[in-house]
Amino acid sequence: MTGTPHPAPPPVLALVESNTTGSGREFAAAARHLGLRPVVLTARPERYPYLATDGVDHLPVDTEDPAAVRKAADELVGAPGGLSGVTSSSEYYVATAAATAAALDLPAPDADAIARCRRKDLQRAALATAGLAPGFRTVTGPDAALDAARALGYPVVAKPTTGSGSVGVRLCPGPDSLHRHVTGLLAAATDERGRPVPRRALVERYVDGPEYSVETFDTTPVAVVAKHLGPAPHFVETGHDFPADVPGALTAALADAALAALAALGLGWGAAHTELRVGPDGPVVIEVNPRPAGGMIPALVRLGSGFDLVSATVARAVGRSPDLRARPRARTAIRFAVAREAGTVTALGGLDAARAVPGVAHAEFTTAPGERITLTHSFRDRVGYALATDPADLTDPAGSADPAAPTTARTAADRAAHAARLLTVTTAPERTP
């Protein structure tokens, strides 16, 4: 008598750390959808509640040590199903994941190119050589910053040479604000995990104009997204619209500039998120991120076009070729609720009302009662979001919505903004000792 054969165990996809919200959880879900077993390599699994909620496997690993990551990945090679890929949803670990995959002869981008790209001073130098970046100087002190600004002309933007999410990025209209901000940046010269780094900052010419991002996969532009920012002097992203409501010629120019930036940086494998501004002379590259976008942009693009940047990234990591054809079907918009006061969260409100706004596809809080809010004037100040679209586009059975129609984007944007305003966060001030 022959028993029922057991199914073969699924191949393993190793994920080096994760984003705490948004796409981190989506990477694990996408892996499962593609028939893979996600295993998160992490030093602090408690940072990711979805591991327990979704039953995602994890291994304790000192992810600050590339050798420890390599050793853990080596061990997974012998796990049931074998190891089919290594990647990361986290900006801070994409280079480690790429180097680990390459060492095991698994699909991987150029780890050295990614590491250089994550150093903003090195990225800027490569882009400037290609004529794609605004004028800039790398400085090691406030007096050098003032010299740089005199050469570039005020206003300037000052930022750290590492990091993401607009942390430490500030518009400086004059010498006093620049001296003060650079002094603070260099005094707190640590990386995103609190380790000391060389005391350097970037001073860049400010490009005054609308901001966009181009989402690419390999060397194919898959989305051009319009960006909304909070008030100066900070650069907190408060929302995005897809597709960007711009003329076709500008869409093409933005895409061309993004592809040129990837070529200059030695990128072009998998997903990349390129931020640009349109100045008087056309598109200027502000920054290239060698990973899928944050800010819920993958969800925005997926709802608007059906193209899933996260699933495509997971597929590429295990050697599969995703379908990159665009299928526009809706205009979509996301708006974030941004904290206005520091303190400990005591109550959340308005979620049901936000979800009930016509056209809202998703609305969530990204904080919870008991959590502490410290205003950083960066993405960390965002406490919730609403993502909306025009229902008429989604109910079109042919999926033939005109992506150039201007009124639909306005409707989606208004709905998302209205829903985000309904999200309320109540905080209690911090007690002083």
Side-chain angles (χ1 to χ4, degrees):
M1 183 174 179
T2 304
T4 303
H6 294 288
V12 172
L13 174 68
L15 298 167
V16 184
E17 293 292 352
S18 172
N19 289 342
T20 52
T21 59
S23 62
R25 186 177 193 178
E26 291 183 358
F27 265 67
R32 285 177 164 171
H33 181 73
L34 293 174
L36 307 167
R37 178 168 75 95
V39 177
V40 177
L41 312 182
T42 175
R44 295 174 55 197
E46 69 276 5
R47 297 182 69 233
Y48 315 124
Y50 75 85
L51 296 178
T53 302
D54 299 347
V56 175
D57 294 333
H58 66 274
L59 291 176
V61 179
D62 179 6
T63 47
E64 302 306 314
D65 181 358
V69 175
R70 167 68 187 273
K71 182 175 183 292
D74 267 329
E75 293 172 355
L76 287 172
V77 171
L83 180 66
S84 60
V86 183
T87 189
S88 179
S89 64
S90 171
E91 163 87 13
Y92 310 128
Y93 296 94
V94 287
T96 298
T100 302
L104 296 173
D105 201 25
L106 295 170
D110 184 332
D112 291 338
I114 289 179
R116 287 194 301 271
C117 187
R118 291 209 62 247
R119 277 273 308 274
K120 295 183 182 181
D121 50 343
L122 299 182
Q123 181 187 134
R124 269 281 171 265
L127 293 176
T129 299
L132 296 167
F136 80 101
R137 300 287 190 277
T138 302
V139 301
T140 56
D143 291 339
L146 296 179
D147 290 341
R150 279 191 287 270
L152 297 169
Y154 286 100
V156 294
V157 176
K159 63 177 68 171
T161 57
T162 63
S164 65
S166 301
V167 176
V169 183
R170 183 169 298 187
L171 178 66
C172 299
D176 290 344
S177 60
L178 178 62
H179 191 283
R180 185 166 53 250
H181 185 55
V182 170
T183 299
L185 282 180
L186 299 179
T190 59
D191 67 11
E192 52 272 354
R193 296 180 290 279
R195 300 173 303 186
V197 296
R199 295 174 181 269
R200 291 189 298 263
L202 284 181
V203 177
E204 301 176 348
R205 179 175 61 83
Y206 175 63
V207 179
D208 188 7
E211 191 159 338
Y212 304 91
S213 70
V214 177
E215 314 308 321
T216 52
F217 200 88
D218 294 343
T219 55
T220 299
V222 296
V224 176
V225 180
K227 181 186 297 188
H228 298 265
L229 299 172
H234 309 290
F235 293 85
V236 180
E237 296 178 5
T238 58
H240 306 280
D241 298 331
F242 170 72
D245 190 13
V246 296
L250 180 55
T251 296
L254 289 164
D256 289 345
L259 293 179
L262 295 182
L265 294 168
L267 302 174
W269 188 100
H273 168 68
T274 301
E275 299 172 334
L276 310 96
R277 283 199 169 206
V278 178
D281 299 322
V284 178
V285 177
I286 301 300
E287 190 166 291
V288 178
N289 300 277
R291 50 155 174 86
M296 299 297 294
I297 288 175
L300 194 74
V301 173
R302 181 172 61 246
L303 185 63
S305 72
F307 181 73
D308 191 331
L309 282 158
V310 171
S311 289
T313 299
V314 170
R316 173 65 81 239
V318 296
R320 303 180 191 175
S321 297
D323 183 355
L324 302 182
R325 289 176 295 176
R327 298 177 179 85
R329 64 186 188 189
R331 282 188 175 272
T332 52
I334 188 169
R335 294 295 182 271
F336 295 99
V338 180
R340 305 300 178 191
E341 296 179 346
T344 300
V345 177
T346 58
L348 305 174
L351 185 58
D352 289 342
R355 289 174 172 172
V357 172
V360 168
H362 303 287
E364 298 287 349
F365 283 106
T366 53
T367 189
E371 291 189 2
R372 184 168 176 255
I373 294 175
T374 301
L375 298 184
T376 62
H377 305 294
S378 73
F379 76 101
R380 297 189 181 111
D381 295 350
R382 300 191 303 226
V383 293
Y385 67 87
L387 196 162
T389 189
D390 186 334
D393 287 342
L394 291 176
T395 57
D396 177 0
S400 59
D402 177 6
T407 56
T408 313
R410 180 63 59 187
T411 301
D414 286 347
R415 288 173 169 177
H418 175 56
R421 285 194 295 268
L422 296 174
L423 300 175
T424 60
V425 176
T426 304
T427 58
E430 296 292 323
R431 295 181 179 179
T432 55

